[in-house]
Amino acid sequence: KQEVTQIPAALSVPEGENLVLNCSFTDSAIYNLQWFRQDPGKGLTSLLLIQSSQREQTSGRLNASLDKSSGRSTLYIAASQPGDSATYLCAVGRFAGNMLTFGGGTRLMVKP
Amino acid sequence: GAGVSQSPRYKVAKRGQDVALRCDPISGHVSLFWYQQALGQGPEFLTYFQNEAQLDKSGLPSDRFFAERPEGSVSTLKIQRTQQEDSAVYLCASSLKASGGAFYNEQFFGPGTRLTVL
């Protein structure tokens, strides 16, 4: 059974800092990996999707990498802003349906 | 609308009551997923449809949970005889397809329905 772990569970940083969120998974036979953002009381917003054949994806200040062999992904956020404060969730998709298995999330607080 | 919508946004039920949660996926999306999110945790998969066919219901926690998508568009998740442990946010997601490249299999989520069972 696939298990996804996110470290740290919570993170508080001053504005402007570059930061890295970590995600690890136990089964490397994944279809894709998706990073989401969740604001309190809201649904999930897709940030980046990495196919299993890819190594990284970039969108603005966000960069996500994927190392399938070691079962790891990182989300890099450059020049963090208070508006980045949210919970970040990592999810891996499996073959035959692409159902997602989620980590527990990293709760990020960026202080002005 | 352009995104996934869910209704109601909030539902309070008395223990033992039946509830029905609705999901309107993005138009044209073939795949539809239901997830359950307990407070402070990541979502957990419940069930998956491809068009009107329910291809996987392995995540449904008990036979009190039932989902349908009769015309391959709108989906309803029904919970019979609700229990306190059913209290959670129920999230619906859709994707254009389940396979193919990134354009096809990225999942888009609705705002969720927060169910509270008293």
Side-chain angles (χ1 to χ4, degrees):
Chain A
K1 179 188 172 187
Q2 178 75 270
E3 293 184 3
V4 181
T5 303
Q6 290 186 248
I7 294 174
L11 183 62
S12 181
V13 300
E15 181 178 4
E17 193 162 299
N18 301 324
L19 54 99
V20 174
L21 307 183
N22 296 293
C23 171
S24 62
F25 47 95
T26 54
D27 187 349
S28 62
I30 65 170
Y31 189 55
N32 57 30
L33 185 144
Q34 208 165 343
W35 281 93
F36 295 90
R37 168 187 174 134
Q38 186 172 34
D39 293 283
K42 307 283 186 178
L44 278 62
T45 300
S46 178
L47 297 174
L48 289 165
L49 169 66
I50 310 177
Q51 299 295 93
S52 62
S53 58
Q54 298 175 321
R55 297 297 299 268
E56 67 175 346
Q57 282 287 337
T58 298
S59 176
R61 294 182 294 109
L62 305 180
N63 175 278
S65 67
L66 173 63
D67 184 344
K68 263 199 337 176
S69 61
S70 67
R72 293 181 183 179
S73 176
T74 61
L75 178 66
Y76 175 81
I77 303 177
S80 58
Q81 303 170 359
D84 294 332
S85 298
T87 295
Y88 290 80
L89 292 157
C90 162
V92 298
R94 66 182 198 225
F95 291 95
N98 194 33
M99 291 75 84
L100 297 177
T101 301
F102 283 84
T106 293
R107 192 168 64 254
L108 173 65
M109 171 80 72
V110 181
K111 297 174 288 187
Chain B
V4 179
S5 61
Q6 293 186 245
S7 61
R9 291 293 314 280
Y10 304 91
K11 177 69 178 177
V12 179
K14 293 182 179 178
R15 191 161 58 106
Q17 188 177 355
D18 296 350
V19 298
L21 312 179
R22 177 188 170 105
C23 171
D24 284 84
I26 294 172
S27 178
H29 277 198
V30 168
S31 299
L32 185 145
F33 306 82
W34 284 97
Y35 296 87
Q36 179 190 59
Q37 187 175 25
L39 190 63
Q41 298 183 22
E44 293 192 353
F45 168 76
L46 293 177
T47 187
Y48 156 62
F49 291 85
Q50 187 167 308
N51 295 307
E52 69 279 3
Q54 188 175 21
L55 298 187
D56 192 316
K57 54 181 181 179
S58 61
L60 295 176
S62 78
D63 58 8
R64 296 185 295 104
F65 287 69
F66 172 77
E68 61 182 4
R69 194 186 185 198
E71 297 179 358
S73 178
V74 170
S75 177
T76 304
L77 177 66
K78 298 179 179 178
I79 309 174
Q80 298 177 324
R81 304 182 303 282
T82 52
Q83 303 294 316
Q84 285 189 323
E85 61 263 28
D86 300 336
S87 296
V89 175
Y90 291 85
L91 296 164
C92 175
S94 70
S95 66
L96 192 57
K97 291 169 61 174
S99 58
F103 176 76
Y104 299 103
N105 61 50
E106 185 175 7
Q107 290 190 29
F108 297 92
F109 280 75
T113 295
R114 181 177 297 277
L115 173 65
T116 303
V117 182
L118 303 176

